[in-house]
Amino acid sequence: MTNKTDRIIIFDTTLRDGEQCPGATLNIDEKLVIAKQLARLGVDVIEAGFAIASPGDFEAVSKIAKIVGTENGPVICSLARAIKADIEAAAEALKPAVKGRIHTFISTSDIHLEYQLRKSRAEVLAIAEEMVAYAKSFMTDVEFSPMDATRTDPEFLYQILERAIAAGATTVNIPDTVGYTTPNEFGAIIKGIVENVPNIDQAIISIHGHNDLGLAVANFLEAVKNGARQLECTINGIGERAGNASLEELVMALHVRRQYFNPYLGRPEDSQESLTNIDTRQIYKTSRLVSNLTGMLVQPNKAIVGANAFAHESGIHQDGVLKNRLTYEIMDAQLIGLTDNQIVLGKHSGRNAFRTRLKELGFELSDTELNKAFVRFKEVADKKKEISDWDLEAIVNDEIQQTPDLFRVELVQVSCGSNARPTATVTLRTPGGEELTDAAIGTGPVDAVYKAINRVVNVPNQLIEFSVQSVTGGIDALGEVTIRLRYESRVFSGHAANTDIIVASAQAYVNALNRLYSALQSQEKPEEVSAQKV
Ligand code: KIV
Ligand code: ZN
């Protein structure tokens, strides 16, 4: 193995580091849906979770290993602290994967050693060496991360990397754990590693970084120029605090500016060959899926996948683009799979046309999912004359959302207006099959609906985010509601789409409450789980 690969390896950690941001918690089936889409996107490695963290994490890694980790599929990876029990759990969960990887880590900066680990450098060196070797006894593909590498003494960093590689690490990952570094500095760290770790040619240099200063992508690109060949990133840049480096930004930067990057990878400058294995036309769809299932909205001005990323408002820009697209556009929206939002179906369209279009859009649904989605499609088509690709996508994403089916919305009725007190009546079907109706007055119709739902469900919580977005233009557009609510220290999200935004609001709220209710039922203590996560 050599770090001189002339291609960039994309390591997606949406399901591990990305899922750690408050409220982004996904259940096992949702993780599987995302993992399948990541495989379609063409990522090389999926970090599917942290197997020891909880039985749910273990099962998710194991299920993804079995279903997505096939012969032609990506490498499936599990995180593990440099602790035997973690490594054993990771190895066990990864067993079904054709290509598995254990990613083990330990902190190396003095500040972490002194206050968190309370260990000396010599002790950490010995642990890293022993645990990499232990991981190697389970599988050949082992990744080692010295956590907080960018604040680690470079000499110690070189030493621990050399020992980890000698013990069998095939990838060494350099995390900017606290998002502290800058592009030049990160580039110099990677250069230092290339020049000072004697056996570095036996491992791939990977990078991992958080976006606390908004520099993660810039840092990564500088690291690539200096020898990094694996990028650890997440869809929409989701992750702890300000998030991780964003996959779509990195991939498109490397694609659009490949002539600039080619020489750093030993290619002729004018080579048109892609620098990654990513099918860029799957980017938009993956972004929407992750946003819908995690409840983490994409800001409109977000590079590549934000709603405004390809919109030209200024008259001068519009004029230029009409004359020649390249005057103000550096990439074609179709490159990321943003179609022209074709109007494809209507209320007379049959199941076959529906199935065919979904297939063309890259959705693979089981018969049950297809039936559910078709019923929803007919309901929407009854109210909305023309159904576009984006509507279809919203309907399908809603249907494949795997929220526990505990409470179900049976009826929502509101009365509101300029001289009325907003009043709502709701009927919910309880997990026991009973239909319960209640009513409430609120400051507005949504508040009234939520108060009425609270009277039925009776789980105290605090609504911390409520957002409505329209899927397409037009007065009959589908409205997508995303909400986040807090219960003690934990955040749960809910998402729903409907032509009636009050109904979508009720549905989104009940989806979030169902997640909360199911977490309470499984008695998974939030504190215990987060203590395990990093
Ligand atoms: O940010 C970090 O340091 C991590 C490591 C576990 C790679 O997520
Ligand atoms: Zn991280």
Side-chain angles (χ1 to χ4, degrees), residues 322-347:
L322 286 175
K323 288 175 176 149
N324 181 337
R325 208 177 46 74
L326 298 180
T327 49
Y328 288 95
E329 265 185 22
I330 58 165
M331 58 193 149
D332 186 337
Q334 295 202 348
L335 251 184
I336 63 151
L338 200 67
T339 65
D340 292 331
N341 186 24
Q342 301 170 52
I343 307 299
V344 280
L345 301 173
K347 74 172 182 182

mmCIF file of all heavy atoms in Angstrom, residues 322-347:
data_model
loop_
_atom_site.group_PDB
_atom_site.id
_atom_site.type_symbol
_atom_site.label_atom_id
_atom_site.label_comp_id
_atom_site.label_asym_id
_atom_site.label_seq_id
_atom_site.Cartn_x
_atom_site.Cartn_y
_atom_site.Cartn_z
ATOM 1 N N LEU A 322 -27.884 34.286 -19.678
ATOM 2 C CA LEU A 322 -28.698 34.042 -20.862
ATOM 3 C C LEU A 322 -27.836 34.080 -22.128
ATOM 4 O O LEU A 322 -28.060 33.319 -23.068
ATOM 5 C CB LEU A 322 -29.827 35.073 -20.960
ATOM 6 C CG LEU A 322 -30.966 34.855 -19.956
ATOM 7 C CD1 LEU A 322 -31.972 35.993 -20.043
ATOM 8 C CD2 LEU A 322 -31.656 33.512 -20.200
ATOM 9 N N LYS A 323 -26.840 34.968 -22.127
ATOM 10 C CA LYS A 323 -25.984 35.083 -23.320
ATOM 11 C C LYS A 323 -24.991 33.926 -23.394
ATOM 12 O O LYS A 323 -24.756 33.345 -24.437
ATOM 13 C CB LYS A 323 -25.254 36.423 -23.303
ATOM 14 C CG LYS A 323 -26.218 37.564 -23.604
ATOM 15 C CD LYS A 323 -25.557 38.904 -23.466
ATOM 16 C CE LYS A 323 -26.537 40.006 -23.867
ATOM 17 N NZ LYS A 323 -26.292 41.232 -23.120
ATOM 18 N N ASN A 324 -24.398 33.612 -22.268
ATOM 19 C CA ASN A 324 -23.492 32.461 -22.201
ATOM 20 C C ASN A 324 -23.414 32.034 -20.741
ATOM 21 O O ASN A 324 -22.949 32.782 -19.889
ATOM 22 C CB ASN A 324 -22.092 32.850 -22.717
ATOM 23 C CG ASN A 324 -21.140 31.655 -22.678
ATOM 24 O OD1 ASN A 324 -21.351 30.708 -21.909
ATOM 25 N ND2 ASN A 324 -20.115 31.716 -23.494
ATOM 26 N N ARG A 325 -23.887 30.817 -20.498
ATOM 27 C CA ARG A 325 -23.994 30.294 -19.138
ATOM 28 C C ARG A 325 -22.686 30.459 -18.342
ATOM 29 O O ARG A 325 -22.678 30.696 -17.140
ATOM 30 C CB ARG A 325 -24.360 28.811 -19.251
ATOM 31 C CG ARG A 325 -25.133 28.250 -18.120
ATOM 32 C CD ARG A 325 -25.498 26.811 -18.383
ATOM 33 N NE ARG A 325 -24.395 26.003 -18.890
ATOM 34 C CZ ARG A 325 -23.378 25.569 -18.164
ATOM 35 N NH1 ARG A 325 -23.306 25.869 -16.895
ATOM 36 N NH2 ARG A 325 -22.433 24.840 -18.706
ATOM 37 N N LEU A 326 -21.569 30.310 -19.049
ATOM 38 C CA LEU A 326 -20.272 30.308 -18.361
ATOM 39 C C LEU A 326 -19.850 31.680 -17.839
ATOM 40 O O LEU A 326 -18.878 31.786 -17.095
ATOM 41 C CB LEU A 326 -19.186 29.750 -19.293
ATOM 42 C CG LEU A 326 -19.415 28.305 -19.726
ATOM 43 C CD1 LEU A 326 -18.298 27.836 -20.646
ATOM 44 C CD2 LEU A 326 -19.509 27.385 -18.510
ATOM 45 N N THR A 327 -20.609 32.736 -18.224
ATOM 46 C CA THR A 327 -20.220 34.067 -17.733
ATOM 47 C C THR A 327 -20.293 34.130 -16.207
ATOM 48 O O THR A 327 -19.467 34.756 -15.569
ATOM 49 C CB THR A 327 -21.121 35.181 -18.310
ATOM 50 O OG1 THR A 327 -22.470 34.779 -18.144
ATOM 51 C CG2 THR A 327 -20.806 35.487 -19.759
ATOM 52 N N TYR A 328 -21.329 33.500 -15.640
ATOM 53 C CA TYR A 328 -21.456 33.562 -14.186
ATOM 54 C C TYR A 328 -21.651 32.194 -13.529
ATOM 55 O O TYR A 328 -21.880 32.134 -12.331
ATOM 56 C CB TYR A 328 -22.618 34.486 -13.779
ATOM 57 C CG TYR A 328 -22.290 35.944 -14.025
ATOM 58 C CD1 TYR A 328 -22.686 36.573 -15.198
ATOM 59 C CD2 TYR A 328 -21.565 36.674 -13.084
ATOM 60 C CE1 TYR A 328 -22.368 37.896 -15.440
ATOM 61 C CE2 TYR A 328 -21.245 37.996 -13.314
ATOM 62 C CZ TYR A 328 -21.640 38.602 -14.485
ATOM 63 O OH TYR A 328 -21.324 39.917 -14.710
ATOM 64 N N GLU A 329 -21.601 31.113 -14.314
ATOM 65 C CA GLU A 329 -21.812 29.793 -13.704
ATOM 66 C C GLU A 329 -20.563 28.950 -13.866
ATOM 67 O O GLU A 329 -20.101 28.742 -14.991
ATOM 68 C CB GLU A 329 -22.990 29.076 -14.386
ATOM 69 C CG GLU A 329 -24.288 29.280 -13.648
ATOM 70 C CD GLU A 329 -25.426 28.484 -14.250
ATOM 71 O OE1 GLU A 329 -25.173 27.477 -14.943
ATOM 72 O OE2 GLU A 329 -26.573 28.892 -14.043
ATOM 73 N N ILE A 330 -20.049 28.455 -12.723
ATOM 74 C CA ILE A 330 -18.837 27.633 -12.821
ATOM 75 C C ILE A 330 -19.165 26.156 -12.928
ATOM 76 O O ILE A 330 -18.303 25.339 -13.175
ATOM 77 C CB ILE A 330 -17.880 27.886 -11.630
ATOM 78 C CG1 ILE A 330 -18.597 27.591 -10.304
ATOM 79 C CG2 ILE A 330 -17.341 29.314 -11.665
ATOM 80 C CD1 ILE A 330 -17.645 27.457 -9.134
ATOM 81 N N MET A 331 -20.419 25.812 -12.674
ATOM 82 C CA MET A 331 -20.828 24.408 -12.860
ATOM 83 C C MET A 331 -22.303 24.361 -13.233
ATOM 84 O O MET A 331 -23.068 25.250 -12.877
ATOM 85 C CB MET A 331 -20.541 23.577 -11.603
ATOM 86 C CG MET A 331 -21.226 24.087 -10.378
ATOM 87 S SD MET A 331 -20.557 23.326 -8.890
ATOM 88 C CE MET A 331 -20.810 24.672 -7.742
ATOM 89 N N ASP A 332 -22.646 23.278 -13.920
ATOM 90 C CA ASP A 332 -24.009 23.089 -14.383
ATOM 91 C C ASP A 332 -24.812 22.420 -13.259
ATOM 92 O O ASP A 332 -24.355 21.438 -12.673
ATOM 93 C CB ASP A 332 -23.929 22.168 -15.622
ATOM 94 C CG ASP A 332 -25.270 22.021 -16.285
ATOM 95 O OD1 ASP A 332 -26.291 22.235 -15.609
ATOM 96 O OD2 ASP A 332 -25.283 21.688 -17.482
ATOM 97 N N ALA A 333 -26.012 22.938 -12.985
ATOM 98 C CA ALA A 333 -26.839 22.380 -11.913
ATOM 99 C C ALA A 333 -27.110 20.887 -12.134
ATOM 100 O O ALA A 333 -27.273 20.124 -11.183
ATOM 101 C CB ALA A 333 -28.150 23.148 -11.836
ATOM 102 N N GLN A 334 -27.131 20.494 -13.421
ATOM 103 C CA GLN A 334 -27.419 19.079 -13.695
ATOM 104 C C GLN A 334 -26.296 18.169 -13.215
ATOM 105 O O GLN A 334 -26.514 16.985 -12.978
ATOM 106 C CB GLN A 334 -27.648 18.892 -15.187
ATOM 107 C CG GLN A 334 -28.895 19.640 -15.613
ATOM 108 C CD GLN A 334 -29.488 19.112 -16.885
ATOM 109 O OE1 GLN A 334 -28.859 18.326 -17.585
ATOM 110 N NE2 GLN A 334 -30.681 19.547 -17.189
ATOM 111 N N LEU A 335 -25.103 18.740 -13.070
ATOM 112 C CA LEU A 335 -23.966 17.947 -12.589
ATOM 113 C C LEU A 335 -24.224 17.360 -11.208
ATOM 114 O O LEU A 335 -23.717 16.310 -10.864
ATOM 115 C CB LEU A 335 -22.744 18.859 -12.464
ATOM 116 C CG LEU A 335 -21.602 18.725 -13.432
ATOM 117 C CD1 LEU A 335 -20.483 19.664 -13.038
ATOM 118 C CD2 LEU A 335 -21.092 17.298 -13.505
ATOM 119 N N ILE A 336 -24.995 18.070 -10.386
ATOM 120 C CA ILE A 336 -25.270 17.536 -9.040
ATOM 121 C C ILE A 336 -26.654 16.875 -8.996
ATOM 122 O O ILE A 336 -27.167 16.548 -7.936
ATOM 123 C CB ILE A 336 -25.149 18.611 -7.939
ATOM 124 C CG1 ILE A 336 -26.181 19.725 -8.128
ATOM 125 C CG2 ILE A 336 -23.752 19.175 -7.855
ATOM 126 C CD1 ILE A 336 -26.586 20.381 -6.834
ATOM 127 N N GLY A 337 -27.255 16.699 -10.169
ATOM 128 C CA GLY A 337 -28.531 15.983 -10.243
ATOM 129 C C GLY A 337 -29.721 16.871 -9.982
ATOM 130 O O GLY A 337 -30.815 16.390 -9.692
ATOM 131 N N LEU A 338 -29.501 18.185 -10.074
ATOM 132 C CA LEU A 338 -30.611 19.110 -9.897
ATOM 133 C C LEU A 338 -31.289 19.206 -11.260
ATOM 134 O O LEU A 338 -30.810 19.901 -12.138
ATOM 135 C CB LEU A 338 -30.049 20.460 -9.460
ATOM 136 C CG LEU A 338 -30.984 21.421 -8.797
ATOM 137 C CD1 LEU A 338 -31.420 20.889 -7.436
ATOM 138 C CD2 LEU A 338 -30.289 22.744 -8.577
ATOM 139 N N THR A 339 -32.373 18.478 -11.433
ATOM 140 C CA THR A 339 -33.013 18.457 -12.744
ATOM 141 C C THR A 339 -33.789 19.750 -12.930
ATOM 142 O O THR A 339 -33.867 20.572 -12.031
ATOM 143 C CB THR A 339 -33.992 17.271 -12.865
ATOM 144 O OG1 THR A 339 -35.029 17.500 -11.926
ATOM 145 C CG2 THR A 339 -33.317 15.955 -12.614
ATOM 146 N N ASP A 340 -34.407 19.891 -14.069
ATOM 147 C CA ASP A 340 -35.173 21.115 -14.309
ATOM 148 C C ASP A 340 -36.561 21.034 -13.702
ATOM 149 O O ASP A 340 -37.481 21.690 -14.140
ATOM 150 C CB ASP A 340 -35.266 21.383 -15.815
ATOM 151 C CG ASP A 340 -33.910 21.741 -16.353
ATOM 152 O OD1 ASP A 340 -33.119 22.297 -15.571
ATOM 153 O OD2 ASP A 340 -33.641 21.441 -17.522
ATOM 154 N N ASN A 341 -36.714 20.202 -12.695
ATOM 155 C CA ASN A 341 -37.971 20.096 -11.995
ATOM 156 C C ASN A 341 -39.118 19.853 -12.975
ATOM 157 O O ASN A 341 -40.071 20.599 -13.046
ATOM 158 C CB ASN A 341 -38.230 21.383 -11.196
ATOM 159 C CG ASN A 341 -39.479 21.234 -10.350
ATOM 160 O OD1 ASN A 341 -39.855 20.121 -10.019
ATOM 161 N ND2 ASN A 341 -40.113 22.335 -10.035
ATOM 162 N N GLN A 342 -38.972 18.785 -13.750
ATOM 163 C CA GLN A 342 -39.973 18.530 -14.778
ATOM 164 C C GLN A 342 -41.336 18.201 -14.174
ATOM 165 O O GLN A 342 -41.416 17.549 -13.145
ATOM 166 C CB GLN A 342 -39.551 17.312 -15.586
ATOM 167 C CG GLN A 342 -38.221 17.476 -16.259
ATOM 168 C CD GLN A 342 -37.799 16.160 -16.821
ATOM 169 O OE1 GLN A 342 -38.555 15.525 -17.546
ATOM 170 N NE2 GLN A 342 -36.602 15.723 -16.495
ATOM 171 N N ILE A 343 -42.367 18.645 -14.868
ATOM 172 C CA ILE A 343 -43.723 18.262 -14.472
ATOM 173 C C ILE A 343 -43.948 16.912 -15.124
ATOM 174 O O ILE A 343 -43.941 16.796 -16.345
ATOM 175 C CB ILE A 343 -44.765 19.248 -15.024
ATOM 176 C CG1 ILE A 343 -44.389 20.686 -14.635
ATOM 177 C CG2 ILE A 343 -46.161 18.890 -14.589
ATOM 178 C CD1 ILE A 343 -44.335 20.962 -13.167
ATOM 179 N N VAL A 344 -44.073 15.886 -14.317
ATOM 180 C CA VAL A 344 -44.112 14.570 -14.932
ATOM 181 C C VAL A 344 -45.417 13.831 -14.785
ATOM 182 O O VAL A 344 -45.819 13.101 -15.675
ATOM 183 C CB VAL A 344 -42.984 13.673 -14.393
ATOM 184 C CG1 VAL A 344 -41.686 13.983 -15.058
ATOM 185 C CG2 VAL A 344 -42.879 13.772 -12.904
ATOM 186 N N LEU A 345 -46.068 13.998 -13.648
ATOM 187 C CA LEU A 345 -47.239 13.171 -13.421
ATOM 188 C C LEU A 345 -48.435 14.014 -12.980
ATOM 189 O O LEU A 345 -48.273 15.142 -12.524
ATOM 190 C CB LEU A 345 -46.934 12.118 -12.345
ATOM 191 C CG LEU A 345 -45.775 11.159 -12.628
ATOM 192 C CD1 LEU A 345 -45.501 10.297 -11.416
ATOM 193 C CD2 LEU A 345 -46.073 10.279 -13.827
ATOM 194 N N GLY A 346 -49.606 13.430 -13.116
ATOM 195 C CA GLY A 346 -50.824 14.110 -12.660
ATOM 196 C C GLY A 346 -51.757 13.077 -12.073
ATOM 197 O O GLY A 346 -51.382 11.910 -11.930
ATOM 198 N N LYS A 347 -53.009 13.520 -11.758
ATOM 199 C CA LYS A 347 -53.864 12.590 -11.013
ATOM 200 C C LYS A 347 -54.314 11.385 -11.840
ATOM 201 O O LYS A 347 -54.765 10.395 -11.292
ATOM 202 C CB LYS A 347 -55.040 13.333 -10.398
ATOM 203 C CG LYS A 347 -56.113 13.771 -11.310
ATOM 204 C CD LYS A 347 -57.223 14.290 -10.415
ATOM 205 C CE LYS A 347 -58.409 14.720 -11.243
ATOM 206 N NZ LYS A 347 -59.444 15.256 -10.403
#
